[in-house]
């Protein structure tokens, strides 16, 4: 018994045929990205069969009607077999199958936000047909929420308050995106403007932000510091209370 063809799942093995017995459709109008399909098949294997016309009515035996680029990608990967289903139709029906297979793909759309969510959840983009630039573009069009849940302060343990969230911007690296507030944006702008002025460009700004931003003098929000309960407020270390004059006397 011959070895199972690489990257063809068991459920499709009964449909496997020698790859060199098949031929491209003679007038395929579709120009596909064979390299991208080959990468998908390398990572994911063959997950659906291609469609082949037996050619009894066309005099073109074993002509591929749907899956021409999958077949080309499989050949590029060195596969010896590929899973295929067969029909036996004339020229007119063969042309219809080729055209509609391409056209239905063209007419399909995406829920861009859901697509971005799915891609973000993957450990990497291998075999998806998407690169980091593609994902970045999807993230650029993602709508930010109008409201955000924030922990309350002084309103009871576990209580939540609903606040309107100002959609000012975000920080992004790789596929990670973090929303930032107006105050954070203003501080970042100050750091950025100072850096680009001093360096006549923004090359290296990310590294500067990671390593040196803590030394910037951009104004930060005032924070009220309260004395600890067991320390008398206003006393400086080393002062002797007995030397102080009573100003109320």
């Amino acid at each position: 018994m011959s070895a199972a063809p690489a990257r063809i799942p068991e459920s499709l093995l009964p449909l496997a045929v020698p790859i060199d017995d098949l031929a491209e459709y003679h007038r395929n109008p579709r120009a596909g990205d064979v390299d991208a399909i080959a990468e998908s098949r390398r990572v994911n294997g063959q997950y659906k069969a291609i469609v082949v016309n037996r050619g009894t009515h066309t005099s073109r035996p074993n002509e591929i009607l749907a899956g021409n680029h999958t077949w080309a990608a499989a050949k590029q990967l060195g596969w010896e077999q590929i899973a295929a289903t067969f029909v036996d139709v004339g020229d007119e029906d063969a042309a219809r199958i080729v055209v509609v297979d391409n056209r239905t793909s063209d007419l399909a759309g995406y829920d861009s936000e859901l697509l971005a969510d799915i891609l973000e959840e993957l450990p990497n983009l291998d075999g998806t047909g998407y690169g980091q630039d593609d994902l970045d573009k999807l993230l650029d069009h993602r709508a930010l929420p109008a409201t955000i849940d924030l922990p309350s302060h002084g309103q009871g343990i576990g209580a939540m308050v609903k606040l309107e969230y100002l959609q000012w911007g975000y920080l992004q690296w790789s596929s990670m995106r973090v929303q930032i507030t107006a105050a954070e944006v203003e501080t970042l702008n100050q750091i950025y403007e100072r850096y680009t002025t001093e360096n006549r460009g923004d090359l290296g700004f990310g590294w500067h932000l990671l390593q040196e931003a803590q030394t910037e003098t951009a104004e930060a929000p005032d924070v009220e510091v309260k004395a600890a309960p067991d320390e008398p407020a206003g006393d400086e270390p080393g002062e002797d209370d007995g030397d102080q004059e009573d100003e109320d006397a």
Side-chain angles (χ1 to χ4, degrees), residues 59-182:
S59 300
R60 295 187 301 274
N62 296 335
E63 188 177 50
I64 301 167
L65 303 183
N68 280 277
H69 297 100
T70 296
W71 173 80
K75 286 180 69 70
Q76 180 176 300
L77 292 171
W79 291 12
E80 295 182 356
Q81 292 184 293
I82 192 168
T85 58
F86 286 80
V87 296
D88 197 3
V89 297
D91 279 318
E92 183 176 321
D93 287 337
R96 291 180 188 278
I97 293 171
V98 170
V99 171
V100 76
D101 183 65
N102 293 326
R103 181 57 174 160
T104 51
S105 295
D106 295 337
L107 292 174
Y110 287 102
D111 180 330
S112 296
E113 292 195 21
L114 179 57
L115 176 60
D117 288 343
I118 292 171
L119 292 174
E120 277 191 301
E121 291 168 3
L122 296 175
N124 58 64
L125 299 176
D126 294 349
T128 65
Y130 287 85
Q132 189 59 51
D133 288 345
D134 301 314
L135 178 54
D136 290 344
K137 291 177 181 178
L138 289 170
L139 291 173
D140 285 341
H141 292 88
R142 173 184 283 173
L144 297 178
T147 60
I148 186 170
D149 287 325
L150 298 174
S152 64
H153 297 287
Q155 297 184 27
I157 298 175
M160 302 295 289
V161 290
K162 180 77 74 173
L163 300 178
E164 291 187 0
Y165 189 83
L166 301 178
Q167 299 182 22
W168 289 95
Y170 59 85
L171 289 175
Q172 180 176 331
W173 59 96
S174 185
S175 62
M176 181 70 70
R177 171 176 290 200
V178 179
Q179 296 166 3
I180 55 179
T181 66

Side-chain angles (χ1 to χ4, degrees), residues 37-81:
I37 297 171
E39 174 65 8
S40 171
R41 296 302 174 270
R42 183 188 68 78
V43 175
N44 305 311
Q46 185 180 7
Y47 45 81
K48 64 179 180 179
I50 66 174
V51 179
V52 179
N53 189 19
R54 292 195 182 279
T56 301
H57 307 289
T58 64
S59 300
R60 295 187 301 274
N62 296 335
E63 188 177 50
I64 301 167
L65 303 183
N68 280 277
H69 297 100
T70 296
W71 173 80
K75 286 180 69 70
Q76 180 176 300
L77 292 171
W79 291 12
E80 295 182 356
Q81 292 184 293

Side-chain angles (χ1 to χ4, degrees), residues 185-226:
V185 169
E186 185 171 348
T187 300
L188 282 172
N189 279 337
Q190 292 178 23
I191 298 172
Y192 178 79
E193 288 171 6
R194 184 178 296 110
Y195 181 86
T196 54
T197 298
E198 293 174 354
N199 295 276
R200 299 182 179 180
D202 58 10
L203 184 64
F205 177 70
W207 181 253
H208 169 78
L209 194 63
L210 291 171
Q211 298 296 321
E212 302 179 31
Q214 67 272 17
T215 66
E216 295 289 352
T217 58
E219 184 177 351
D222 293 333
V223 178
E224 182 182 357
V225 179
K226 296 181 179 179

